[in-house]
Amino acid sequence: MTGPSWNKSCHWNISRWTLHLVAGLVSLLIVPCVRAEDPVSFNRDIRPLLAKHCWACHGPDEEARQADLRLDQIDSATAEVDGHFVIRPNSPEQSELMVRILSTDADLRMPPAESGPALTETQIELLRRWIAEGANFESHWAFVPPTKPALPSLSHSGPATSPIDRFVLAKLEAVGLPPAAEADRATLLRRVYLDLIGLPPTPEQVTAFIQNADPQAYSRVVDALLASPEFGEKWGRAWLDLARYSDTNGYEKDRPRSIWLYRDWVIHAINDDLPFDTFTVQQLAGDMLPAADADTKIATGMHRNTMLNEEGGIDPLEFRFYAMNDRVATTGLVWMGLTTGCAQCHTHKFDPISHTEYYQFMALLNNADEPDFEFVSNKLQAERRSIEEQIEAEVVALPDRFPVASVSTDETNKDGQIATNRQAFQTQFDKWLREQQQQSVAWQVVVPEKMSTNLPRLEALEDGSIYSTGDITKRDVFDLTVAKSALGDQPITALRLEALPDSRLPAGGPGRCYYEGRRGDFFLSEVVLRDGEQVIKVRDASHSYGKNGLGSGSADAKNVIDGDGSTGWSTAQREGEAHELVLLLDTPHQFTDALRIEMLFERHYATSLGRFRWSATATEKSPVAQDMSADLQAVLAKPEEQWTAPEREHLQRHFALTCPELAEARKEIDALRKSLPAAPTTLVMEERPADNPRPTFRHHRGEYLSPREPVTAALPEIFRQLTKKPPSNRLELARWLASPENPLVGRVVVNRVWQAFFGEGLVRSQGDFGMQSSPPTHPQLLDWLAVDWMESSWSLKALCRTIVLSSTYRQSSEALPAVLAADPENRWLARFSRQRLDAELVRDAMLDASGLLCQQIGGESVRPPQPASVTALAYGNGAWAESHGADRYRRSLYTFSKRTAPFAAFAVFDGPSGETCTVSRNRSNTPLQALTTLNDPMFIEFA
């Protein structure tokens, strides 16, 4: 049969289809052996063939699709056009697909010769049989919700101690392979110890187990190991691979970050056997829970593990966009086993995730801010309280330590003598008070009636201050409008800006800079004042404190009125304190229109103010900025007879804490303040207010600089149709991901756990359950485990117990030559697979054997010894300060992880760097591994 003649106006042009139908068939596909009497399975036999060789050009991606033909949908693939069919069910000879595959004409044959080898005869026969049998299209197995299958019956009795064994033995019977005998007791004990807690048993434990004839001895060992605190450390390390955990930010500078509290949360959650659905919700949206607490907030560090670029000149929003892409890809891999990241730049080539749906999924995760969280434990609170009580006692005693000699004779009492230190203090305080009253100024807080910015959101608080939230950039502009009526009737002579601390800001503020070492700072480049459109001249400026922590140059207050955006006012190294800036107008100004204040924050870092307040005065004095709170300044501006006793005491306290005469006496207070224990911080997520959502756009070709139309938060359509109430925010997404409505989560997680025990999953493509995935070796077992796990309260420990108690797990790793020849990859589980230890377990086993292992759970990351050359080559040549004492011998889970210079011994044994989500570690066998264990000073010390 020859190819039909197609009209050029046809919906899809067959001449283009001829050239592109199976372009990309560049390699042969190994198809599972199908017996002639067995019907051809679309999912098992045909889908992998089409997905690998056809769908790149004739699949979901509209931009890449050729000839407007889709072979991934039955309606398109079997459509009739002008009396002809690409695929005609039951009629291979009338299907143009077969005609083109079998054609000897180079212009017609598919795949084209230049695209790679032709299909094999076996593959062609499978396609022909499939069409002859009706060309049945089936939904991809992974997108069909799993159901719990019945346990298979066995022809012969075997070591079936659990449902797992029934499925495995049934498969072995089908392929004609016998199961291996049970491993010897010493091997079995070592295996289960390493698998459950990552440490080997002691010789005494091995001997006791071998000699124990109790049939329940093994199950009791398993239960003890599951209850061991080391279980959370072993399995926590596996989760941290997925969470791309690291102690540094990555990229060029790769500075340290504090996020070890999240790592400890993971360990404790696994030890507590937190159900996986709760485990999921707390990590993805713990801040949004009605009963959110410190633990659930710390858990949200999961998606703060993304890398952070601190290079000068970068656009922080650009790298936030890259972080969001990482979060979408990680979420897809961890909870759905899908390569969602492939749809960032275009519609997925194989899976049903369009380019737009990718950004709709991103929108579900995109409405969160990213603050630091300070964790103050009860113990820390008690320690701080004790020291603060000592500080208060020292402050109260300051007047009694005032040096008498510092008071001049003309300030003595009527007897010519200062009787006590306190009297001397009072005398000097009264003098200071008179000086302050003479220069005091009455300030009136002015609250803008309108506020606009380039991006951040400004909110007026009850005290008249302005609080900034939302995203910030390298060049933020705050435009404030104060109504004329709020300025009073007198001409304004000066304006005051207070930079105010706030616990919600990095390092307590007042700025929003979040870079390490500069957290809480700001850089105010310019301030322009206007009366309507008329610029008001400012003749002078002063500040209470200024220091430039963001580069060279001064931080003088006058920088904000010099017309140069590269200079400015900053208050580095005194974060968490209030500071003020005073602007003196050139002449008293009577406003005829609204006061407009334009504040420019321009630096190669994002450094705008987080909380601030403006005030105005009509004083005839020339006020200067005071290193004194606005509340105290307001007291001084009042007549003294109106002062309350607490106000006077407050002034005395301020004098005692600032006067030079008591500088020596205050050293003890300074020392106590320095001894206040700092609370550890960690990175968390915080949902934005409902009235200030972050918009999400589709980005053309995945480019940050190419945003197109806005998108609404939603799941891809293939999942929406399986969901009763599709999620619309991050919390709802988290609950959906870990629910039976997500057809993938159960299969993906149990497959990952299975791989941890057997070296390979029942689905061997761990990171891809999509159209190009490997089919499950035991599909019914996979579904049984998935459903049973979800039905048994999502318990990781219960799942592990079920697996390790099975006879399948307890098999010997030895196999007959005939079994090895028939199944070299051990796909059918006729034996236990030999495995290599993970990098951390290699070190931990040696530590344990040496007797040096420190078994402390949790805490800050530590630095075991390693060659100095490892970090010497990294940016900045940062020193590796080796830990001493017990910290030197902590479990490898706690080793400080630097992304640009991973711990040498772990890198040699294929440990991940933490840059991306790792669903399955590489396995290598190189001479470097032997050289490391023989020469690394750390291992020599263990020996």
Side-chain angles (χ1 to χ4, degrees):
M1 177 180 176
T2 59
S5 174
W6 297 90
N7 188 303
K8 290 184 179 181
S9 64
C10 180
H11 180 62
W12 43 279
N13 191 313
I14 197 62
S15 64
R16 296 179 63 205
W17 177 73
T18 299
L19 296 175
H20 302 291
L21 173 61
V22 280
L25 293 177
V26 294
S27 61
L28 296 177
L29 176 68
I30 299 174
V31 180
C33 181
V34 182
R35 294 178 300 180
E37 63 272 19
D38 291 338
V40 178
S41 166
F42 178 78
N43 273 333
R44 182 192 65 209
D45 308 317
I46 304 302
R47 182 189 295 277
L49 192 156
L50 295 178
K52 185 172 184 179
H53 300 290
C54 302
W55 289 354
C57 296
H58 301 287
D61 189 352
E62 293 181 8
E63 292 189 13
R65 191 179 305 143
Q66 301 295 324
D68 198 25
L69 171 66
R70 294 188 67 165
L71 290 177
D72 63 319
Q73 292 185 344
I74 185 172
D75 291 343
S76 175
T78 60
E80 179 184 2
V81 179
D82 291 348
H84 298 278
F85 301 86
V86 179
I87 296 174
R88 185 165 191 173
N90 305 116
S91 300
E93 67 282 357
Q94 296 182 32
S95 298
E96 191 67 20
L97 176 66
M98 294 303 301
V99 172
R100 299 305 173 98
I101 289 174
L102 295 170
S103 176
T104 57
D105 187 332
D107 293 333
L108 295 178
R109 184 173 66 86
M110 288 293 166
E114 67 272 13
S115 68
L119 293 173
T120 67
E121 292 184 4
T122 301
Q123 292 171 328
I124 294 172
E125 176 59 16
L126 275 175
L127 284 169
R128 189 200 65 76
R129 284 180 54 198
W130 170 64
I131 296 173
E133 292 173 5
N136 179 42
F137 276 74
E138 300 169 337
S139 297
H140 181 50
W141 63 268
F143 299 142
V144 178
T147 56
K148 198 169 188 178
L151 299 181
S153 58
L154 302 174
S155 300
H156 305 89
S157 61
T161 60
S162 79
I164 290 174
D165 303 320
R166 296 279 292 274
F167 290 103
V168 172
L169 289 172
K171 177 63 74 173
L172 290 175
E173 286 184 359
V175 298
L177 294 176
E182 183 167 301
D184 66 83
R185 291 177 73 79
T187 298
L188 181 59
L189 191 70
R190 177 178 172 80
R191 178 189 300 170
V192 76
Y193 261 76
L194 290 170
D195 280 346
L196 291 183
I197 66 171
L199 296 172
T202 65
E204 294 76 17
Q205 289 169 328
V206 174
T207 300
F209 182 67
I210 292 174
Q211 296 175 352
N212 192 339
D214 185 349
Q216 301 302 316
Y218 177 69
S219 63
R220 290 198 178 98
V221 167
V222 169
D223 290 339
L225 294 176
L226 292 172
S228 166
E230 288 84 5
F231 178 82
E233 292 178 310
K234 164 63 167 64
W235 287 83
R237 178 61 263 179
W239 184 260
L240 295 178
D241 281 9
L242 299 170
R244 62 263 190 257
Y245 175 84
S246 179
D247 294 299
T248 62
N249 289 330
Y251 293 110
E252 176 210 36
K253 291 180 173 58
D254 199 21
R255 289 193 177 104
R257 61 170 47 166
S258 178
I259 196 170
W260 57 269
L261 283 167
Y262 167 74
R263 179 245 291 145
D264 287 2
W265 179 89
V266 169
I267 295 170
H268 294 304
I270 292 175
N271 274 333
D272 293 341
D273 203 18
L274 193 67
F276 186 79
D277 53 351
T278 305
F279 184 71
T280 294
V281 169
Q282 291 190 10
Q283 289 185 87
L284 293 182
D287 58 300
M288 298 177 68
L289 292 170
D293 57 15
D295 275 351
T296 62
K297 291 176 183 177
I298 290 170
T300 62
M302 197 274 177
H303 269 330
R304 291 299 308 278
N305 280 312
T306 49
M307 295 200 296
L308 172 66
N309 194 337
E310 295 184 293
E311 295 180 49
I314 61 100
D315 184 343
L317 296 185
E318 178 181 8
F319 281 88
R320 188 188 180 282
F321 172 73
Y322 296 150
M324 284 307 307
N325 284 300
D326 172 65
R327 288 166 189 166
V328 171
T330 297
T331 302
L333 281 172
V334 173
W335 282 277
M336 303 167 76
L338 295 179
T339 55
T340 51
C342 292
Q344 174 187 344
C345 304
H346 49 71
T347 292
H348 203 293
K349 298 291 186 183
F350 307 104
D351 295 339
I353 305 173
S354 73
H355 188 41
T356 297
E357 287 175 335
Y358 171 89
Y359 288 98
Q360 289 179 314
F361 190 85
M362 177 185 285
L364 289 165
L365 296 165
N366 197 28
N367 198 40
D369 288 328
E370 301 170 7
D372 293 355
F373 177 74
E374 186 179 81
F375 177 64
V376 182
S377 65
N378 292 335
K379 179 182 178 182
L380 185 65
Q381 279 183 327
E383 292 175 358
R384 282 183 170 181
R385 194 178 302 114
S386 175
I387 296 173
E388 286 167 352
E389 288 172 356
Q390 296 177 55
I391 292 173
E392 181 61 25
E394 291 290 326
V395 172
V396 170
L398 282 176
D400 293 322
R401 297 174 183 172
F402 195 90
V404 174
S406 65
V407 181
S408 61
T409 55
D410 60 344
E411 295 168 336
T412 58
N413 60 18
K414 61 184 179 180
D415 298 327
Q417 295 293 323
I418 297 294
T420 65
N421 300 82
R422 186 169 285 274
Q423 287 177 331
F425 171 83
Q426 188 63 46
T427 298
Q428 199 68 358
F429 169 67
D430 291 341
K431 178 184 177 183
W432 173 84
L433 202 57
R434 289 191 296 271
E435 294 172 352
Q436 296 299 315
Q437 287 176 301
Q438 289 173 4
Q439 63 186 31
S440 65
V441 171
W443 293 97
Q444 176 63 44
V445 173
V446 292
V447 181
E449 64 174 353
K450 295 179 182 178
M451 297 180 286
S452 63
T453 71
N454 57 308
L455 191 61
R457 181 185 188 231
L458 302 181
E459 172 190 2
L461 305 182
E462 290 184 3
D463 64 354
S465 64
I466 310 301
Y467 184 65
S468 169
T469 57
D471 296 323
I472 56 177
T473 72
K474 293 184 297 181
R475 190 181 191 279
D476 286 336
V477 179
F478 296 176
D479 198 342
L480 316 176
T481 301
V482 180
K484 176 185 173 183
S485 58
L487 300 173
D489 299 328
Q490 300 298 315
I492 300 300
T493 58
L495 290 171
R496 179 182 67 183
L497 169 65
E498 296 171 75
L500 301 171
D502 193 293
S503 61
R504 296 169 290 180
L505 298 171
R512 295 189 60 192
C513 183
Y514 56 86
Y515 294 110
E516 195 64 39
R518 296 161 181 167
R519 293 180 183 275
D521 197 13
F522 64 91
F523 192 88
L524 178 60
S525 302
E526 290 292 308
V527 176
V528 178
L529 306 178
R530 289 186 174 89
D531 182 351
E533 298 300 322
Q534 173 194 353
V535 175
I536 303 171
K537 187 176 180 182
V538 179
R539 65 180 171 89
D540 202 1
S542 61
H543 61 245
S544 57
Y545 168 78
K547 183 176 178 63
N548 189 350
L550 300 177
S552 60
S554 71
D556 193 279
K558 295 179 182 178
N559 291 344
V560 306
I561 57 172
D562 64 359
D564 183 355
S566 65
T567 65
W569 176 51
S570 176
T571 60
Q573 298 179 4
R574 280 182 60 177
E575 292 80 21
E577 300 179 19
H579 309 285
E580 67 176 46
L581 175 84
V582 170
L583 303 177
L584 291 179
L585 305 190
D586 189 45
T587 59
H589 187 85
Q590 184 71 56
F591 279 81
T592 60
D593 202 341
L595 164 63
R596 288 184 54 201
I597 305 172
E598 183 181 284
M599 306 168 68
L600 171 64
F601 303 91
E602 187 172 36
R603 201 63 171 170
H604 57 285
Y605 297 94
T607 55
S608 56
L609 268 169
R611 188 174 177 185
F612 59 94
R613 179 168 55 201
W614 281 98
S615 303
T617 184
T619 182
E620 296 179 358
K621 303 174 184 178
S622 296
V624 295
Q626 301 290 315
D627 196 3
M628 181 189 299
S629 72
D631 291 343
L632 282 183
Q633 293 184 54
V635 172
L636 289 168
K638 294 191 302 184
E640 190 169 351
E641 59 271 16
Q642 295 181 13
W643 294 357
T644 65
E647 288 174 339
R648 180 176 290 277
E649 290 174 5
H650 195 182
L651 285 166
Q652 287 183 332
R653 185 184 183 92
H654 175 81
F655 174 72
L657 290 172
T658 57
C659 67
E661 294 87 350
L662 286 171
E664 187 67 26
R666 288 196 298 269
K667 287 184 177 179
E668 179 63 26
I669 296 174
D670 295 338
L672 284 169
R673 282 183 176 148
K674 289 180 180 178
S675 72
L676 279 167
T681 62
T682 191
L683 309 179
V684 300
M685 308 287 277
E686 182 177 88
E687 189 72 357
R688 290 163 68 106
D691 60 349
N692 186 35
R694 178 185 286 111
T696 303
F697 302 88
R698 180 184 67 83
H699 287 255
H700 183 60
R701 298 189 182 277
E703 291 286 347
Y704 165 68
L705 294 176
S706 299
R708 293 296 193 262
E709 71 279 1
V711 297
T712 56
L715 291 175
E717 173 59 29
I718 192 168
F719 299 113
R720 286 202 299 269
Q721 63 190 14
L722 300 174
T723 306
K724 296 177 182 177
K725 185 180 182 298
S728 59
N729 60 39
R730 185 161 47 96
L731 178 59
E732 292 174 0
L733 171 64
R735 287 172 170 158
W736 176 84
L737 283 169
S739 75
E741 287 192 340
N742 175 5
L744 289 155
V745 64
R747 291 171 171 136
V748 168
V749 177
V750 300
N751 191 66
R752 200 155 51 223
V753 173
W754 187 273
Q755 182 197 36
F757 288 112
F758 292 93
E760 292 284 358
L762 297 170
V763 177
R764 299 206 162 194
S765 53
Q766 273 281 13
D768 188 0
F769 274 55
M771 301 296 187
Q772 288 195 301
S773 66
S774 303
T777 56
H778 300 71
Q780 288 190 312
L781 172 57
L782 179 67
D783 282 4
W784 187 92
L785 284 169
V787 176
D788 184 72
W789 176 61
M790 290 188 285
E791 290 177 346
S792 61
S793 303
W794 305 82
S795 167
L796 173 63
K797 290 187 176 182
L799 176 60
C800 290
R801 190 177 193 276
T802 297
I803 291 174
V804 301
L805 290 181
S806 69
S807 294
T808 302
Y809 175 80
R810 295 158 70 169
Q811 290 182 108
S812 169
S813 58
E814 297 182 6
L816 297 172
V819 174
L820 286 173
D823 186 16
E825 296 182 1
N826 196 26
R827 294 172 62 87
W828 312 126
L829 301 169
R831 64 188 184 280
F832 191 81
S833 297
R834 293 191 174 109
Q835 299 179 54
R836 300 176 65 82
L837 292 180
D838 286 341
E840 296 85 353
L841 268 61
V842 171
R843 177 177 176 271
D844 289 349
M846 293 188 180
L847 257 179
D848 191 45
S850 71
L852 294 172
L853 178 63
C854 170
Q855 294 184 310
Q856 175 190 334
I857 304 291
E860 293 189 52
S861 296
V862 296
R863 291 174 169 83
Q866 70 169 337
S869 58
V870 175
T871 54
L873 296 176
Y875 177 89
N877 190 19
W880 182 263
E882 290 184 5
S883 298
H884 299 284
D887 281 350
R888 191 180 183 91
Y889 310 115
R890 301 286 307 281
R891 283 197 74 167
S892 301
L893 172 73
Y894 304 110
T895 298
F896 187 88
S897 168
K898 184 175 177 66
R899 283 183 163 119
T900 57
F903 192 68
F906 298 165
V908 167
F909 284 95
D910 307 308
S913 67
E915 293 172 283
T916 58
C917 173
T918 301
V919 296
S920 181
R921 292 190 180 189
N922 293 328
R923 299 293 178 187
S924 65
N925 185 358
T926 72
L928 282 176
Q929 295 167 347
L931 290 169
T932 297
T933 56
L934 290 171
N935 294 281
D936 191 306
M938 173 181 64
F939 291 121
I940 293 173
E941 181 180 5
F942 298 163

